[in-house]
Amino acid sequence: MSSLTNKQILLGVTGGIAAYKSAELVRRLRERGASVRVVMTAAAREFMTPLTFQALSGHPVHTDLLDPAAEAAMGHIELARWADLVLIAPASANFIARLAEGRGDDLLSTLCLATRAPLALAPAMNQGMWDNAATRENLDRLRQRQILLLGPGEGSQACGETGPGRMLEPAALAEAAAAQFETGALAGRRVVITAGPTREAIDPVRYLSNHSSGKMGYALARAAMEAGASVTLISGPTALPAPERVNLIRVTSAEEMYRECLEHAPRCDLFIGAAAVADYRPRAYQSQKIKKGSDEQLTLELVKNPDIIAAVAGLDARPFTVGFAAESEQLEDYARRKLIQKNLNAIIANDISREGLGFNSDDNAVILIDARSAIPLGPQSKQQLARELIARLARSLHEPA
Ligand code: PMT
């Protein structure tokens, strides 16, 4: 049984008799490790109560777009960002039509417009409605937008007719949801990823550091784990929880990160340096707190830290080595220079001049650069971006050099 561990699934329930099966679907998704939040349309609430879904999901159900209390708890944009997958089950003919038109006239349709997560629909309707030319056209439009259709199945229907239009069974839908994440592209591979900032101690109370939150590196570690790799994450200090099924090694300084990387990198297939490593550290650590003196200036002497990724790329049995380049200007140009100077296989150029992207944000936009190409990716959530990067790097691993 494939896993949904750590996955965040937003389940949209629209109006149809199959809504009763969605209650079972919540249980199936949670059994596989997913965290589920439910959004119900007004029509869905004619068939099932929000309380049922609240009890099964363990979270309040979201119903209204313009409800100040709900927006204060988890607003619609936050919900749209939260989701790794938006699954609409059942998806009624009416909701499919509204989605095809790009309407945003209730909470669920607005979420579908706002989210960057993949969207999957499990249609459920009378067989005549399913065969109707209008529904067919709407579905064609949705397929062109890469929206995934799960089913429908065929058989006897609640209305007494027989034919296509039955919602797939909850177990099949949960399996299909899991299949969206299980690529297996890195099955059997060892991956080492660095993440977060480093802290370079000045004295017992002070250090030099930067604004890296670790979100990008942790998202890559989760994506590599989902793709079947055995993952070691070497992380500077962050406030993030340890990702499940990942070997997390916590370090503080660049020198500690260097030692751990050189310990683990020789046995890995893919090394990704997402950490924002301090280039310099104080020449001498002061074991007592530095006191404020009468001088107006204090000079701190710094020495260069080892370049971790360049050392990994210089190993005799080097892994496929991928760096990040956080740049505020001349993004591609500066990133290419680092690709060459550090002898990397690829570099992920991160434009940190854009509001809401890069350091300490939930979203990111990058250019994946190697000797042959430069592919812009995003803006999208760091988790979605990480999945796309891992899928592309896994393909590069299989290609001849
Ligand atoms: O952590 P987040 O808040 O999610 O933000 C993500 C990020 C912006 C930190 C990340 O995406 C990013 O861009 N990381 C690299 C940041 C950086 O400082 O890059 P750099 O240009 O200084 O270094 C280039 C490459 O060399 C990086 O792969 C870096 O890990 C590596 N390096 C740098 C210095 C050093 N001494 N050793 C290294 O290995």
Side-chain angles (χ1 to χ4, degrees):
M1 182 166 88
S2 36
S3 161
L4 283 169
T5 305
N6 288 335
K7 299 300 162 318
Q8 301 184 150
I9 298 191
L10 198 149
L11 176 64
V13 184
T14 73
I17 184 61
Y20 80 93
K21 290 192 196 172
S22 306
E24 176 70 8
L25 176 57
V26 175
R27 294 190 57 212
R28 295 279 163 260
L29 294 169
R30 291 193 71 194
E31 267 170 18
R32 287 168 180 260
S35 172
V36 181
R37 288 188 177 256
V38 178
V39 175
M40 296 178 82
T41 62
R45 300 199 303 277
E46 300 290 330
F47 290 88
M48 295 288 285
T49 70
L51 195 59
T52 307
F53 287 103
Q54 176 171 324
L56 292 169
S57 68
H59 295 286
V61 170
H62 305 263
T63 52
D64 296 311
L65 180 58
L66 303 173
D67 173 352
E71 282 290 300
M74 195 182 206
H76 65 284
I77 297 295
E78 218 177 316
L79 259 182
R81 281 202 189 120
W82 173 88
D84 293 323
L85 172 72
V86 177
L87 170 60
I88 307 204
S92 66
N94 179 47
F95 189 79
I96 287 171
R98 289 201 287 129
L99 199 58
E101 279 180 26
R103 304 269 287 264
D105 48 12
D106 67 359
L107 178 59
L108 187 57
S109 54
T110 307
L111 282 171
C112 291
L113 285 178
T115 192
R116 295 206 176 98
L119 207 57
L121 300 184
M125 64 196 75
N126 160 272
Q127 51 104 16
M129 292 164 83
W130 174 253
D131 277 336
N132 189 287
T135 307
R136 299 265 138 203
E137 276 170 27
N138 290 333
L139 289 164
D140 284 344
R141 287 165 78 182
L142 295 180
R143 277 192 204 95
Q144 280 166 20
R145 288 184 221 154
Q146 316 301 326
I147 292 175
L148 183 71
L149 291 182
L150 306 173
E154 274 197 60
S156 64
Q157 301 198 305
C159 55
E161 297 179 12
T162 303
R166 278 169 63 102
M167 187 170 95
L168 290 185
E169 292 306 315
L173 288 176
E175 181 63 47
Q180 300 312 301
F181 301 102
E182 298 277 338
T183 66
L186 287 176
R189 300 288 196 160
R190 289 201 179 117
V191 177
V192 174
I193 297 171
T194 66
T198 63
R199 279 184 194 167
E200 310 302 321
I202 299 170
D203 68 12
V205 293
R206 303 180 179 95
Y207 55 79
L208 299 173
S209 192
N210 59 63
H211 292 293
S212 169
S213 62
K215 287 178 188 172
M216 192 68 240
Y218 279 55
L220 284 163
R222 268 194 299 273
M225 179 274 287
E226 286 166 13
S230 154
V231 182
T232 297
L233 176 62
I234 301 173
S235 171
T238 73
L240 302 175
E244 290 199 22
R245 292 192 274 159
V246 164
N247 173 28
L248 175 65
I249 298 172
R250 293 191 193 274
V251 296
T252 303
S253 67
E255 284 185 303
E256 282 171 345
M257 189 175 271
Y258 175 83
R259 279 196 295 276
E260 290 295 344
C261 286
L262 288 198
E263 167 73 26
H264 289 86
R267 293 186 303 283
C268 80
D269 303 289
L270 171 61
F271 181 95
I272 306 177
V277 184
D279 288 324
Y280 292 90
R281 67 178 184 279
R283 177 180 288 283
Y285 170 74
Q286 305 296 322
S287 57
Q288 302 299 328
K289 183 180 167 191
I290 301 172
K291 291 287 175 204
K292 186 161 68 175
S294 52
D295 289 349
E296 287 303 312
Q297 291 184 3
L298 175 74
T299 304
L300 200 58
E301 203 180 338
L302 303 177
V303 292
K304 227 178 195 167
N305 271 324
D307 192 315
I308 300 168
I309 207 162
V312 169
L315 290 169
D316 285 342
R318 59 175 272 164
F320 191 90
T321 310
V322 182
F324 266 80
E327 306 294 348
S328 54
E329 55 173 342
Q330 299 184 49
L331 181 63
E332 201 174 323
D333 196 22
Y334 285 163
R336 274 198 189 281
R337 282 189 212 177
K338 285 181 185 166
L339 175 79
I340 295 163
Q341 279 161 4
K342 296 181 188 240
N343 190 23
L344 307 177
N345 295 93
I347 196 153
I348 299 162
N350 209 145
D351 182 353
I352 53 166
S353 67
R354 292 165 68 181
E355 181 85 2
L357 302 176
F359 279 93
N360 199 15
S361 59
D362 291 327
D363 296 342
N364 210 358
V366 299
I367 309 175
L368 174 59
I369 300 172
D370 64 15
R372 286 173 277 201
S373 60
I375 303 163
L377 300 170
Q380 57 193 328
S381 75
K382 283 184 177 168
Q383 195 57 63
Q384 292 300 334
L385 179 64
R387 289 196 186 105
E388 196 160 346
L389 285 167
I390 288 292
R392 288 179 183 276
L393 293 175
R395 281 203 289 277
S396 303
L397 261 185
H398 295 116
E399 280 167 10

